[in-house]
Amino acid sequence: MKVFDQLERRRGWSDEERMILDSVRQLAADVIAPAAAEHDRTGAFPWQNIAQINALGLNGLFVPEAYGGSPTRFKLYLEVVKIISEACASTGIIYATTFHGMKPLIDFGTHEQKARLLPRIAEGGIGALAITEPNAGSDAAGMTTSFTPDGNSIIVQGGKTFISNGDVADLILLFGKWSEIDDSRKSISVLVFEKDTPGFEVLRL
C-alpha cells in the first residue's frame, strides 16, 4: 500500500466528513481539473470554480456556526484544500487565502464585527490579506505602512504587494502600524475594508 493511502486510512473520517470529501473530489474531477490548464494559460480568475465551491458551502468549514458557518475539524479543511489544489493550484490558493485572510477577524474581531462581516464569507465571499510590502515579506514586523488617527478618520500611508485575491475580495484585512504606539511589534494593527463600502474600520488585535 502506498504511503499516502496508509495516511488516509489513519485519518479516521466520520461518515459526514467522508460525504464532504467525496463531494469535493467529484467537484475537483468534474469541474476544477478540466479547466486548470486553460486558467493557467489565460490567467483568468476561475469564477466557475469558486461558484461551485460556494455551492458546496465550503467556506462554512472554517466560519464559526454563530456567524453562518458549520465548522468541522481543521484537518478536514486541510484535506479539502489539498484536493482542490491537486486539481488546480490557483483555485486552491484562492480558497485557502479566504480562510487565512479572515482568521484574524475570526479570532480577534468584536462580536458586532463578526456578526456583520463573517456571514458574507460563510455565504461564499472572498477574503484577502494585505500584509506583504516591497521591503517587508517574511519579516512582517518590518512593514512601514502606517495608520494615523485623524478625528473620526484614519490616514493610511504605505503600499502593499502580492495581495492574493485582492482585486476580487469582498473583505480585505490591511495590516499596518498604529502611529501612536512606539513599540514596532505591538503597534501592528489591522483595518477591515469592505468591498463597495467606503473607508475602513479598526480590528483590534
Side-chain angles (χ1 to χ4, degrees):
M1 182 180 293
K2 296 180 180 179
V3 173
F4 288 112
D5 291 336
Q6 293 177 346
L7 291 174
E8 180 67 19
R9 290 174 63 88
R10 296 175 185 172
R11 296 293 187 183
W13 303 118
S14 68
D15 290 342
E16 180 181 2
E17 289 170 334
R18 289 185 183 280
M19 289 179 60
I20 293 172
L21 293 175
D22 286 344
S23 296
V24 175
R25 291 189 185 101
Q26 183 173 354
L27 169 62
D30 295 347
V31 176
I32 298 177
E38 182 66 10
H39 285 131
D40 287 345
R41 186 185 69 80
T42 64
F45 191 84
W47 286 112
Q48 182 182 10
N49 294 350
I50 301 305
Q52 293 300 314
I53 285 172
N54 291 337
L56 291 181
L58 296 183
N59 279 10
L61 297 182
F62 53 77
V63 174
E65 186 175 3
Y67 307 109
S70 53
T72 60
R73 293 185 294 174
F74 184 64
K75 70 178 184 178
L76 178 67
Y77 159 75
L78 293 178
E79 187 68 15
V80 169
V81 172
K82 181 173 81 71
I83 294 170
I84 294 174
S85 298
E86 286 177 343
C88 174
S90 298
T91 303
I93 290 173
I94 292 166
Y95 174 66
T97 295
T98 293
F99 165 68
H100 294 289
M102 294 300 102
K103 194 65 166 67
L105 175 61
I106 293 171
D107 289 346
F108 300 107
T110 66
H111 171 70
E112 186 279 331
Q113 288 172 325
K114 291 188 283 189
R116 177 164 47 85
L117 300 173
L118 288 180
R120 179 184 300 190
I121 298 299
E123 292 168 2
I126 297 173
L129 189 70
I131 188 169
T132 302
E133 298 180 1
N135 297 311
S138 57
D139 178 20
M143 69 177 70
T144 59
T145 295
S146 64
F147 303 150
T148 304
D150 181 24
N152 293 326
S153 301
I154 298 172
I155 299 174
V156 179
Q157 293 182 302
K160 300 293 182 179
T161 188
F162 302 133
I163 307 174
S164 299
N165 295 354
D167 59 336
V168 296
D170 296 285
L171 294 179
I172 299 176
L173 268 60
L174 173 66
F175 279 68
K177 293 183 176 179
W178 200 255
S179 64
E180 298 189 344
I181 299 176
D182 293 331
D183 187 289
S184 181
R185 291 185 178 275
K186 291 182 179 179
S187 66
I188 295 176
S189 306
V190 182
L191 299 181
V192 183
F193 177 73
E194 296 182 68
K195 183 180 180 181
D196 301 327
T197 301
F200 293 83
E201 67 176 86
V202 179
L203 173 61
R204 298 292 188 186
L205 297 184

